[in-house]
């Protein structure tokens, strides 16, 4: 490669096969890591570093930390317990540690002669025999004073057949070229970068790949160094821009403009025993402003459990129906979809409208009947599960899709339903409702393709739920409390949570609990509902609970969403430590719907981890879904909290949403500038950071 060829664009246009040692087979493996060009090598960033710049005294090493240690061999021996392994004990005057090898050769054993000096790098674990390092990288030292590494060691994301040494050799080659070129295409808005005095891209890349000897180790290890932050900013901008483009494409499509008022809607409101809250009204107006546009609405409505999202969606539905179009509403579970179906039948049939029902479990003649209603347009509104977007479902003229996302849906399902309308020439408006409030950090990043509205007010007359955390050994006290509640005429939910991800076992646990409660509380009417009952059986039990014929409802997490029985004011949740905070919040939202004080008892199993304890404490301290979501995000990280979104969307090479929250505002601005002023450059930025992953926008 001649130096004259090294221009800023040289890196993005030169394939890796130009590098030394990269043949066709190697190139194929590298492609699996998204590495095709020299630019890809530059932006394949270390996701962490190893600190081999100092020797840690063995006595000072901590469990779980990765450290460089050095010691004198005390003994080495092959032992056979469960597996044959080579164990070598070393000491350095401050402590002792075992090195353990499961795969080893005789010559290896001979290295570890008593008195030899060993330097090794690995993770410290604690075992019954004390400190241990399994399969450390090690070297027998000639002298105890040999120098340590001058700089931190970069660790790259690797894959089968491509190990760290290979990645280091590749980046060495490309960094050398970068050193000569002293330029690589700057794709962020140049003025803003200068104004904020960010290091140059060349500097930043050199720094993160090969931190200098005097680099501030801690900053680099936790990712807060300016060089890393500069690259995070670029990556966040690329992600944000890709969402903006996704949104721009969606918005460019044509949809039907809907009027902002209809007699049907007035009729519905007049028939209700209550008035919409100010928050419901405000969100309704935000939706109306979208619906009059002849481009599709893409709106996310966030509202805590019980905030009254259903009414907001019903009002939007009536605007579409009044204009002669169909509306589909999808819910994530059968039981929630049923609940919505009943609500819509109750509200819409008096208005002379027809509501159809579709779920995966609906089969045969009944299914065909519903399909015919949908296809002919006889059904104004269709409620159901994901079955709504199966191929055989043909809508006559779908104009609005409502998705009660809770926290279970992914992007794929939404878009599939959207395409249902496209088939008939109309792109439907989309209204997505979520009861899991989305922390601001995530709303700004993962949901940047959507407009958001927040119903930040509960209907009047609700009393906050009191939450108590108890250990399961106090079960008899809890049962006594249930007895008291029933004597006072209250109703109780008793929720058995998922055991080892098995629906069968979960149902079993619920059955056992119901039997036990019947035995302990012979005077109380106990019912049981779980996911393995037939829909009709489930509906029957729920109906009896609504009519207070059942006092204690033992349930699996199927009741998590949507169920509304205001007289139920006590909830017991077994093994709450197994659930996410959002899910617990949802469950708890089933009580506190009437005017009497409600209780939620979280009955955990010992031992509870520190994290588990913190999470239950949060539930005890607040009823505010936003606070809970924010804390959950900090405790568990975005991947877990998002759950619903495709994981690929939120995996970053260098950015970390929590750590880099402070960069979000700038990345948003920069993405906007690129979108408006320099879309071609924006495309290159997306290609640089998201490569093929950017295609998720096309699903
Ligand atoms: P969520 O936001 O959790 O979906 P729902 O739509 O199920 O909440 O509403 C919860 C309950 O509150 C329902 O019984 C609903 O009829 C009632 N509700 C909705 N809006 C109001 C209001 N403005 N005033 C009083 N009750 C309301
Ligand atoms: Mg709801």
């Amino acid at each position: 490669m001649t130096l004259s060829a090294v221009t800023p664009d040289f890196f993005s246009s030169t394939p890796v096969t130009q590098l030394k040692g990269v043949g066709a087979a190697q190139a194929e493996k590298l492609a699996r890591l998204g590495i095709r060009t020299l630019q890809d090598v530059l932006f394949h960033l270390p996701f962490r570093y190893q600190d081999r710049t100092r020797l840690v005294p063995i006595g000072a090493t901590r469990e779980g930390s990765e450290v460089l240690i050095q010691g004198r061999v005390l003994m080495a021996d092959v032992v056979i317990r469960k597996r044959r392994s080579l164990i070598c004990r070393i000491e350095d005057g401050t402590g002792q540690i075992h090195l353990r090898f499961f795969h080893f050769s005789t010559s290896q054993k001979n290295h570890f002669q008593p008195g030899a000096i060993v330097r090794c790098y690995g993770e410290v674990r604690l075992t019954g025999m004390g400190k241990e390092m399994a399969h450390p990288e090690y070297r027998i030292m000639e002298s105890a004073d040999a120098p340590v590494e001058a700089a931190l060691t970069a660790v790259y994301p690797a894959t089968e057949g491509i190990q760290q040494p290979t990645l280091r050799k590749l980046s060495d080659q490309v960094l050398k070229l970068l050193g000569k070129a002293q330029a690589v295409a700057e794709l962020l808005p140049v003025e803003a970068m200068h104004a904020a005095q960010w290091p140059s891209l060349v500097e930043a890349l050199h720094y993160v790949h090969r931190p200098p000897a005097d680099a501030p180790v801690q900053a680099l290890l936790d990712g807060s160094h300016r060089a890393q932050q500069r690259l995070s900013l670029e990556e966040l901008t690329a992600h944000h821009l890709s969402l903006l483009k996704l949104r721009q494409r969606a918005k460019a499509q044509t949809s039907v403009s809907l009027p902002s008022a209809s007699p049907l809607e007035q009729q519905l409101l007049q028939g209700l025993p209550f008035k919409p809250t100010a928050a419901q009204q405000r969100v309704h107006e935000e939706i109306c402003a979208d619906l009059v546009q002849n481009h599709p609405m893409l709106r996310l409505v966030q509202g805590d459990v019980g905030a009254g999202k259903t009414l907001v969606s019903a009002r939007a539905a009536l605007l579409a129906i009044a204009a002669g179009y169909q509306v589909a509403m999808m819910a994530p579970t059968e039981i929630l979809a049923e609940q919505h179906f009943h609500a819509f039948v109750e509200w819409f049939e008096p208005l002379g409208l027809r509501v159809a029902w579709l779920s995966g479990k609906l089969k045969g003649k009944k299914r065909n009947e519903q399909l015919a209603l949908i296809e002919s347009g006889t059904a104004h509104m269709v409620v159901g599960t994901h079955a709504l977007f199966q191929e055989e479902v043909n809508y006559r003229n779908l104009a609005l899709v409502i998705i009660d996302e809770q926290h279970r849906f992914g992007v794929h399902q939404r878009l599939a339903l959207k395409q249902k309308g496209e088939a008939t020439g109309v792109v439907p408006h989309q209204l997505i409702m979520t009861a899991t409030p989305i922390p601001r950090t995530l709303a700004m990043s993962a949901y940047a393709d959507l407009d958001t509205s927040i119903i930040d007010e509960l209907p009047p007359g609700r009393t906050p739920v009191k939450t108590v955390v108890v250990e399961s050994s106090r079960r008899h006290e809890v049962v006594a409390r249930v007895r008291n509640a029933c004597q006072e005429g209250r109703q109780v939910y008793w929720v058995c949570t998922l055991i080892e991800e098995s629906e069968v076992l979960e149902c079993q646990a619920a059955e056992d609990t119901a039997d036990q409660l019947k035995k302990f509380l012979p005077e109380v009417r106990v019912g049981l509902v779980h996911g393995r009952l037939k829909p009709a059986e489930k509906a029957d039990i729920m109906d009896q609970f609504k009519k207070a014929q059942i006092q204690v409802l033992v349930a699996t997490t199927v009741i998590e969403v949507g169920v509304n029985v205001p007289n139920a004011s006590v909830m017991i949740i077994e093994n709450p430590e197994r659930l996410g905070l959002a899910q617990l919040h949802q469950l708890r939202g089933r009580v506190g719907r009437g005017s009497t004080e409600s209780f939620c008892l979280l009955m955990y199993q010992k031992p509870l981890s520190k994290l588990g304890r913190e999470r239950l404490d949060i539930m005890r301290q607040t009823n505010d879904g936003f606070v809970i979501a924010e804390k959950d995000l900090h405790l568990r990280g975005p991947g877990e909290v998002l759950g619903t979104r495709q994981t690929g969307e939120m995996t970053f090479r260098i950015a970390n949403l929590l750590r880099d929250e402070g960069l979000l505002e700038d990345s948003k601005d920069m993405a906007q500038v690129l979108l408006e002023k320099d879309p071609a450059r924006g495309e290159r930025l997306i290609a640089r950071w998201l490569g093929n992953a950017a295609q998720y926008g096309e699903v």
Side-chain angles (χ1 to χ4, degrees):
M1 257 172 289
T2 58
L3 185 55
S4 62
V6 183
T7 63
D9 285 331
F10 164 80
F11 294 95
S12 58
S13 57
T14 307
V16 273
T17 44
Q18 296 288 310
L19 294 175
K20 235 179 16 214
V22 184
Q26 188 84 326
E28 206 169 290
K29 285 182 199 155
L30 286 168
R32 273 191 258 134
L33 288 170
I35 300 176
R36 293 180 179 80
T37 64
L38 302 194
Q39 171 174 280
D40 294 334
V41 177
L42 281 180
F43 286 86
H44 190 71
L45 299 170
F47 69 108
R48 63 188 184 91
Y49 296 93
Q50 293 174 344
D51 184 358
R52 303 176 188 219
T53 64
R54 63 202 172 96
L55 287 168
V56 178
I58 293 173
T61 57
R62 276 174 298 121
E63 187 182 10
S65 61
E66 277 186 29
V67 286
L68 187 71
I69 55 173
Q70 178 170 291
R72 210 166 275 281
V73 175
L74 294 174
M75 64 74 143
D77 218 345
V78 176
V79 297
I80 303 173
R81 288 247 170 78
K82 277 181 207 142
R83 277 172 75 187
R84 198 167 159 267
S85 58
L86 169 64
I87 294 201
C88 169
R89 186 155 76 217
I90 63 171
E91 67 87 27
D92 68 353
T94 68
Q96 298 187 0
I97 192 166
H98 289 102
L99 314 180
R100 182 186 291 271
F101 303 86
F102 291 112
H103 311 283
F104 58 92
S105 58
T106 322
S107 68
Q108 209 172 349
K109 189 194 161 205
N110 295 335
H111 284 160
F112 297 118
Q113 292 300 330
I117 297 166
V118 191
R119 183 175 287 184
C120 46
Y121 184 88
E123 184 183 335
V124 179
R125 300 190 312 192
L126 274 183
T127 71
M129 291 165 62
K131 285 180 179 174
E132 179 178 302
M133 248 185 209
H135 278 279
E137 292 173 45
Y138 73 93
R139 205 148 50 101
I140 305 293
M141 308 299 288
E142 302 268 299
S143 131
D145 312 318
V148 289
E149 299 271 335
L152 291 182
T153 309
V155 183
Y156 296 96
T159 185
E160 219 184 299
I162 303 280
Q163 306 298 336
Q164 295 301 328
T166 308
L167 291 165
R168 279 180 68 91
K169 274 185 211 140
L170 289 182
S171 48
D172 273 340
Q173 288 186 59
V174 182
L175 285 167
K176 214 160 157 194
L177 289 167
L178 182 64
K180 289 183 191 162
Q182 278 304 316
V184 58
E186 172 59 82
L187 300 178
L188 291 180
V190 178
E191 277 162 36
M193 293 306 287
H194 279 311
Q197 296 188 332
W198 283 108
S200 78
L201 188 50
V202 174
E203 272 171 342
L205 286 169
H206 273 296
Y207 206 100
V208 299
H209 282 284
R210 300 289 179 269
D214 59 350
V217 175
Q218 202 47 49
L220 270 173
L221 290 178
D222 59 41
S224 63
H225 191 277
R226 285 282 283 176
Q228 291 163 308
Q229 291 281 291
R230 191 236 180 268
L231 294 171
S232 288
L233 174 67
E234 194 173 320
E235 183 171 32
L236 289 170
T237 306
H239 270 258
H240 198 82
L241 183 60
S242 75
L243 285 171
L244 290 183
K245 289 184 76 78
L246 181 61
R247 175 193 161 77
Q248 195 183 43
R249 266 202 298 278
K251 282 274 180 193
Q253 294 169 304
T254 309
S255 195
V256 285
S257 159
L258 298 171
S260 295
S262 87
L264 283 177
E265 202 212 331
Q266 289 313 310
Q267 235 175 301
L268 172 74
L269 291 183
Q270 277 156 20
L272 291 177
F274 51 77
K275 277 231 276 277
T277 61
Q280 282 171 314
Q281 185 59 30
R282 176 173 42 77
V283 172
H284 172 68
E285 283 160 19
E286 286 164 5
I287 291 171
C288 287
D290 286 347
L291 292 178
V292 298
Q293 312 287 331
N294 57 359
H295 295 293
M297 165 169 80
L298 293 168
R299 187 166 289 277
L300 176 74
V301 172
Q302 302 183 47
D304 215 336
V305 196
K309 293 182 289 293
T310 321
L311 177 64
V312 170
S313 68
R315 292 180 72 184
L318 289 178
L319 296 177
I321 293 169
Y325 293 95
Q326 284 177 307
V327 176
M329 180 187 220
M330 177 163 77
T333 65
E334 178 106 6
I335 201 159
L336 178 58
E338 274 171 33
Q339 181 104 8
H340 280 313
F341 175 67
H342 293 304
F344 279 95
V345 166
E346 197 182 311
W347 283 345
F348 284 11
E349 288 197 341
L351 309 178
L353 303 178
R354 188 89 186 251
V355 185
W357 163 253
L358 210 58
S359 84
K361 287 188 181 154
L362 193 71
K363 298 259 151 70
K365 190 161 154 264
K366 286 195 176 147
R367 182 181 189 87
N368 291 334
E369 273 170 23
Q370 299 297 310
L371 289 175
L373 288 176
I374 297 166
E375 192 156 352
S376 66
T378 312
H380 301 93
M381 169 105 197
V382 189
V383 182
T385 57
H386 57 276
L388 287 181
F389 58 77
Q390 280 161 358
E391 239 171 77
E392 70 206 67
V393 191
N394 297 305
Y395 294 86
R396 202 170 87 86
N397 57 1
L398 189 60
L400 171 64
V401 172
I402 301 166
I403 295 169
D404 199 358
E405 184 172 66
Q406 304 297 342
H407 48 101
R408 291 168 188 253
F409 273 130
V411 165
H412 282 298
Q413 280 141 312
R414 281 208 264 133
L415 296 171
L417 192 50
K418 193 188 76 156
Q419 278 150 12
K420 283 293 175 193
E422 274 166 297
T424 62
V426 182
V427 179
H429 296 286
Q430 289 187 64
L431 182 63
I432 297 132
M433 303 191 296
T434 168
T436 306
I438 299 157
R440 212 181 73 90
T441 320
L442 293 185
M444 279 177 65
S445 44
Y447 286 79
D449 53 334
L450 302 174
D451 296 302
T452 34
S453 296
I454 302 181
I455 310 181
D456 50 6
E457 176 187 3
L458 292 180
R462 304 267 169 89
T463 37
V465 182
K466 239 203 189 121
T467 300
V468 185
V469 176
V470 292
E471 203 211 309
S472 60
S473 63
R474 289 167 58 193
R475 198 180 179 90
H476 55 283
E477 290 171 44
V478 174
V479 172
R481 206 152 165 177
V482 168
R483 177 187 286 125
N484 288 342
C486 291
Q487 278 165 358
E488 290 168 15
R490 297 160 176 251
Q491 285 172 274
V492 179
Y493 291 103
W494 188 298
V495 184
C496 301
T497 58
L498 204 67
I499 296 169
E500 315 246 324
E501 304 290 315
S502 153
E503 196 191 5
V504 178
L505 286 179
E506 188 180 49
C507 295
Q508 184 61 49
E511 273 166 23
D512 293 347
T513 302
D515 287 344
Q516 203 188 44
L517 287 174
K518 281 176 193 162
K519 210 169 81 197
F520 287 141
L521 306 170
E523 74 283 9
V524 170
R525 294 182 304 276
V526 178
L528 171 67
V529 63
H530 57 62
R532 286 158 63 85
L533 294 181
K534 296 208 175 74
E537 294 171 322
K538 250 190 292 183
D540 183 47
I541 302 276
M542 293 313 297
D543 197 49
Q544 290 182 45
F545 190 56
K546 267 186 205 158
K547 292 181 179 146
Q549 289 159 354
I550 288 174
Q551 293 165 283
V552 176
L553 183 67
V554 178
T556 54
T557 44
V558 297
I559 60 133
E560 177 189 337
V561 279
V563 181
N564 190 24
V565 180
N567 191 49
S569 58
V570 178
M571 172 169 284
I572 323 294
I573 303 177
E574 289 203 56
N575 309 317
E577 67 277 15
R578 292 193 177 128
L579 301 183
L581 288 189
Q583 213 181 348
L584 282 174
H585 182 61
Q586 283 288 314
L587 274 171
R588 183 171 61 180
R590 301 307 110 205
V591 293
R593 302 199 151 215
S595 47
T596 49
E597 178 159 55
S598 294
F599 292 93
C600 177
L601 277 78
L602 303 175
M603 193 160 60
Y604 67 90
Q605 298 272 358
K606 251 175 132 164
L608 198 55
S609 66
K610 183 166 165 282
L611 182 66
R613 161 60 65 188
E614 273 179 62
R615 296 172 69 233
L616 294 187
D617 277 345
I618 292 167
M619 292 305 293
R620 203 164 47 72
Q621 286 156 11
T622 180
N623 277 301
D624 184 328
F626 277 90
V627 174
I628 291 172
E630 196 74 51
K631 297 257 173 151
D632 209 16
L633 174 64
H634 282 91
L635 288 179
R636 288 194 307 158
E640 295 289 319
V641 175
L642 276 172
T644 66
R645 294 228 131 189
Q646 284 164 293
T647 44
E649 279 179 62
M650 299 307 293
T651 49
F652 294 104
R653 293 183 192 187
I654 189 164
N656 171 319
L657 284 179
L658 295 181
R659 184 192 63 211
D660 305 336
E661 205 170 344
L663 299 172
L664 285 176
E665 207 62 61
D666 279 348
S667 71
K668 226 173 118 176
D669 293 345
M670 291 191 177
Q672 196 64 42
V673 168
L674 288 173
L675 185 74
E676 286 165 15
K677 305 239 167 81
D678 204 343
R681 196 143 150 220
E683 279 301 337
R684 291 168 64 201
L685 183 71
I686 292 175
R688 174 184 281 176
W689 286 95
L690 287 98
N692 291 338
Q695 283 160 7
Y696 70 74
E698 313 287 350
V699 274

